[in-house]
Structures are given as C-alpha cells and as structure tokens.
Amino acid sequence: MRFGVRKADLLSSFFVFLVALPLCVGIAVASGVPAELGVVTAVVGGLVGGVVPGSSVQVSGPAAGLTVFVYGAVQAYGVAVLGVLVFTAGLVQLGLGALRLGRWFRAVPVSVVQGMLAGIGIVLVAGQLYALGDVRVPATALGAVGGLGSLPGDVDPVASGVGGATIAVLLLWRCWGRAARLVPGPLVAVALASGATWVCDLDVRRVEVRGLVAAVRAPESADFGRLGEVGVVGTVVGLALLASAQSLFGAVAVERLPRGRKGQRVDFDRELMAQGVGNAVCGVLGALPLAAGGVGERSGGGSGGARGTVARGLYGGWLLAFVGVLFVVPEVLGVVPVAALAGLLVWAGCGLVPVREVGVLWREHRGEVCVFGVTAGAIVVAGLFQGVVVGLALSVGKTAWDVSRVRVEIGERGDGVVVVRVVGHATFLRLPKLLDELEALESLEAPGGLRNLPSGREVRLELDGLRHVDHACAAALEGWAAARGQVVGVVTGSAVSAVVATNRSTS
C-alpha cells in the first residue's frame, strides 16, 4: 500500500498550525495556566487525533468555549489539580462513548447550543476586556460583566492600545483576500503587536515563560485524592459534558455539510471516545482539556483541502516542532504582550455569539429566541453548567407547552344526541383551559349551551380525538361527566381508556 502526503494536506496543516499557535497560547493564559500548556494540548490533539479514529476533518485542541469553565476550576482547585480533572473527564468521555451515548448530544435543541455559545462568548469577552487593559479580572462572570461600566477609568492606555490595535488588524486583515489566504490574521496580529512592543520597549505585561519542563506536571497520587470531594466530582462531570458537547456539536455541523464540502457521516460514539483518549493524555501531562474544532472556531480549522488523519497528524507535527523551539529558546513566548492575546480572544469570543443564527430563529421560531436568551443570561449569572441545565429545562417546558393543544367541540347527531368532543393533547399544562371551555358550554349565554338543552336530551362525551391525555386531565373529564346527569355515554380512544382505567383502579 502506498502512503503519501498530499500537497493540500501539507499546506492546510501548516496554515491551521499558524492559526492555532497564538490561539492556544491565548487560551492558556486566559485559563490561568502556563502558556506552554496550551501548546501541549494542541500537540496532543493533533497527534492523538491522527492515530485514534474519529472525525476526519475536525482539528482538536484547546477550546475558547472551555476557557471560562477551566479558569473557574483552576481558581477553585489550583493548577496542580487540573491534570486530575482533565484525565478523569477523559475517562468519563470514554465511558459515554462505550455506552453509545454520543448520539444523544444530537437531541440538544439548537437554541440551547447557541445560547451556550453566546453565554460563553459574552463571559469570555467581558473577562478579556479587563486583560486587554492590564486590569485584574473579577472573580465571577457576573462581576466581570457588571463591572464593565467602571472599567475605562482603570485601564492602562498603552496596554489597551496594543490590544485595540490587535483587534483592528484582525478585522482589517480579512479584507485583504489574497494575503488572508496565505497568512492567517491571528498570527499577523500577534506578531505585529509583539514586534511593536519589543522595538518600542513598551511597558506592558507580557506572557510569563516557565519552560516546558516546569509547566508540564503529571498528577500525583495525592491529587487523585481530591476526587472524593463533591465539588471536584461535579467539575469533572461538567468538564466532560461540555467538552463532549463542543466536539459533537461541531460534528453535527460537519455532518450537515454537503458531501462536496467534506460533509460526511460521523460516528458520534467513536468521536467521543477519541476525544476521551486525547483528554486522558492531556490529563497525564497536566495540560488543558481539548475539544474537536476548538482551535478552528474562528479560523476555518480543517479547511484548505485537509482531509483525513494525515493532515491532523501533520498539524500536530508542526506544533511538536514548535515545542522543540521552546526547549531551545523558551523566551520566544516571553515577547508576546498579554494585551495582544486578550484582543485575539475578544475577537474569538465575539465569534461565539451566533448573531446571524439568532436572526433566523427570530423570523421562524420566536419562542426559541426566549430559550436562547435565558440560556445565555443564566450562564452569565449562575455559571456555565447551571445555565445549560436551565436552558434544557426551559426548552423541555416550551416543547410540552407547544405540544399541549386541546379544544372542545359541540355538535348534534341526526338522532338528537348532543356530542361534546375533546380533541388534541390534554396535559396538566392545558387543564385550566380545558375546564374553562367545558364550563363555558354550560353558560346560559353560550349558543347551544348544555343548560339551554330541552330536558331529556342525551349528551355524549367523545374523547377518541385525544392523542394524549395525562392522569390529571383524565380525572377532570371523568369527574365532569359523572357530575352531569345528561351525559349518558363516554367514548374513549386507546390513549385515554388506559388512563381512565388507571384512575378508576386507584380511586
């Protein structure tokens, strides 16, 4: 069998490497860990992704969408415990994949996914605006968002100028089509900011360099003892679910692409297990968690003709070569201003807010915009995991409300029998409306109301039009029929009869 490297794979992997490098460093700094660990995670994502079967087009690495969660975990438990958290989260992902639960991530409503991304983007941008001005970031996301009003008076004008110039380069570079295709904007922006800072000897905070040997720390046995703490267990589960969600939501997007644009069937369980292996390796090295598509959220990672594990392996190889440079010249990262990385992450965080998709939701499904807004707001106020749970609960409640449609119809048969027919889905959410409509039939003012009927007329209650009925509605309908002497017959469909029978057996 012949094995060769396509030119498209070589060029595309190098392009993604150039995009990923400044993002990896920026994500690490924003997560509160040594900058070198961001590069280590990207190396693992490339090399492990080139060996373990998974998606053939997504590039794995540190994800901007996990920055907020990881920063909170590091602040709560320390950098030393990060390896344990990531390693155990990887094992959880492996277990979810082995149990074939990956496909269930496809059932998460789009509004919740977009609300999650928007909430992450808002918190990320808010926090990095402080870093952009060399101001200490508040401990909570709500504090960071709430304190933006008083931020302008505290910022360092030199640092904010460097960060603002970085954002300007990122925005303007895309307008230069040919250059943007050859050299990625993030690399140009950070390189220019670093060069200007070094040449002009600007007094701004720069990336702290510890060296790979000092930064990479394998978990110790005492660190695993922290897994007995409830908070640590919750953090592990949350990290596993969020990393899995980001990877598999990206896989859904890949699957929906036309086949000519690399659209393909994705094995979600294998993808999940591949991410689990990668995170287990990252945990052993004490590095950041990885997610598929993490380094390419705003960069078009996986584009440019890359295909299969060869391109991903080459991407990891380029990063591994840079790791060798860090061994020889570790100060290469020390010239990068933190404000420039903050500007890069502000740009990336804005890209997480799906403005165009929300516009589509507003035109077609306005109720989903409410789910989107509540999810994003809950993430800002309560936290990432809690916000997603609130969004899912609201989405389930909205679905139940939308499905519950019930109406009462009244008519007359040829033999003079009055027919009261209940149609739709009768759940406790619509019980007040159902009882109101039944009571309205007995109103003296209602045309054809039951009280206006001549004595002796028979009334027949038909429930075979109900597709679903819960116990509360079934009991209410049965009680309404029993309380009225005129109702001499009740016709039930299969969905209703079982509930009515259950109600009678328990009464």
Side-chain angles (χ1 to χ4, degrees):
M1 182 179 63
R2 296 179 59 187
F3 175 81
V5 178
R6 298 189 314 129
K7 181 179 179 181
D9 289 334
L10 187 64
L11 294 177
S12 180
S13 63
F14 187 69
F15 185 88
V16 175
F17 156 70
L18 295 178
V19 174
L21 185 58
L23 281 172
C24 294
V25 176
I27 290 171
V29 173
S31 300
V33 304
E36 295 88 345
L37 293 183
V39 182
V40 172
T41 297
V43 171
V44 174
L47 296 181
V48 173
V51 175
V52 180
S55 171
S56 62
V57 295
Q58 292 196 103
V59 178
S60 297
L66 298 178
T67 302
V68 176
F69 191 89
V70 174
Y71 178 81
V74 170
Q75 296 301 307
Y77 306 111
V79 179
V81 185
L82 180 62
V84 173
L85 298 176
V86 177
F87 175 79
T88 311
L91 296 184
V92 172
Q93 287 181 302
L94 282 169
L96 293 175
L99 293 173
R100 302 187 65 80
L101 298 177
R103 67 193 69 182
W104 286 98
F105 283 87
R106 303 171 72 181
V108 178
V110 174
S111 55
V112 175
V113 176
Q114 293 173 342
M116 181 188 76
L117 293 176
I120 291 172
I122 292 170
V123 175
L124 181 61
V125 169
Q128 292 310 300
L129 286 176
Y130 289 86
L132 189 143
D134 272 355
V135 179
R136 182 178 178 82
V137 182
T140 64
L142 186 59
V145 175
L148 289 177
S150 60
L151 179 61
D154 300 327
V155 300
D156 181 347
V158 178
S160 59
V162 171
T166 302
I167 297 175
V169 171
L170 287 167
L171 294 175
L172 295 174
W173 191 254
R174 294 184 300 177
C175 301
W176 196 356
R178 180 176 177 81
R181 288 193 296 269
L182 295 176
V183 184
L187 182 67
V188 174
V190 174
L192 289 176
S194 302
T197 301
W198 180 71
V199 171
C200 300
D201 194 21
L202 299 179
D203 184 19
V204 295
R205 187 162 61 98
R206 306 184 189 186
V207 174
E208 296 182 8
V209 178
R210 302 183 184 181
L212 281 171
V213 176
V216 174
R217 177 185 180 276
E220 300 176 357
S221 57
D223 299 328
F224 283 96
R226 302 291 300 272
L227 291 174
E229 302 177 19
V230 176
V232 173
V233 173
T235 301
V236 167
V237 174
L239 180 59
L241 293 179
L242 292 172
S244 302
Q246 175 142 348
S247 298
L248 297 182
F249 294 157
V252 170
V254 169
E255 192 177 46
R256 290 174 180 173
L257 286 174
R259 292 302 173 94
R261 295 181 57 198
K262 303 184 198 66
Q264 62 176 46
R265 295 292 300 173
V266 177
D267 189 325
F268 289 85
D269 300 312
R270 291 176 63 188
E271 176 74 32
L272 190 56
M273 295 185 73
Q275 297 303 312
V277 171
N279 275 318
V281 175
C282 287
V284 171
L285 298 174
L288 289 170
L290 58 80
V295 297
E297 289 161 328
R298 286 290 306 262
S299 62
S303 62
R307 183 177 61 206
T309 59
V310 174
R312 288 188 294 165
L314 287 172
Y315 152 77
W318 294 118
L319 285 166
L320 188 60
F322 182 76
V323 169
V325 174
L326 289 181
F327 269 113
V328 179
V329 191
E331 295 80 7
V332 69
L333 291 179
V335 300
V336 179
V338 173
L341 296 178
L344 178 61
L345 288 179
V346 167
W347 175 75
C350 290
L352 291 176
V353 181
V355 178
R356 183 177 302 175
E357 289 79 358
V358 173
V360 174
L361 281 180
W362 179 256
R363 290 191 298 270
E364 299 178 359
H365 308 283
R366 296 195 175 184
E368 296 295 330
V369 178
C370 178
V371 176
F372 165 86
V374 170
T375 303
I379 288 174
V380 174
V381 174
L384 187 54
F385 188 71
Q386 296 88 334
V388 172
V389 172
V390 169
L392 288 173
L394 181 60
S395 183
V396 171
K398 175 184 173 299
T399 301
W401 177 264
D402 290 341
V403 170
S404 299
R405 301 292 186 190
V406 64
R407 67 180 187 276
V408 179
E409 302 172 347
I410 186 170
E412 186 175 354
R413 295 193 327 195
D415 57 1
V417 175
V418 177
V419 178
V420 176
R421 193 163 189 263
V422 184
V423 181
H425 297 79
T427 69
F428 71 96
L429 294 174
R430 299 289 183 172
L431 182 56
K433 176 185 177 182
L434 176 61
L435 293 177
D436 287 344
E437 293 196 15
L438 289 174
E439 291 172 2
L441 294 178
E442 301 183 57
S443 171
L444 293 175
E445 292 80 15
L450 297 183
R451 289 188 183 180
N452 290 331
L453 294 176
S455 59
R457 293 282 296 274
E458 293 183 356
V459 178
R460 187 178 183 86
L461 178 62
E462 294 187 353
L463 306 180
D464 56 336
L466 286 175
R467 298 179 181 178
H468 172 77
V469 61
D470 62 12
H471 291 274
C473 289
L477 289 168
E478 188 177 8
W480 182 84
R484 286 148 185 82
Q486 299 139 305
V487 180
V488 297
V490 178
V491 179
T492 61
S494 58
V496 182
S497 58
V499 180
V500 172
T502 302
N503 285 340
R504 289 175 177 172
S505 65
T506 56
S507 60

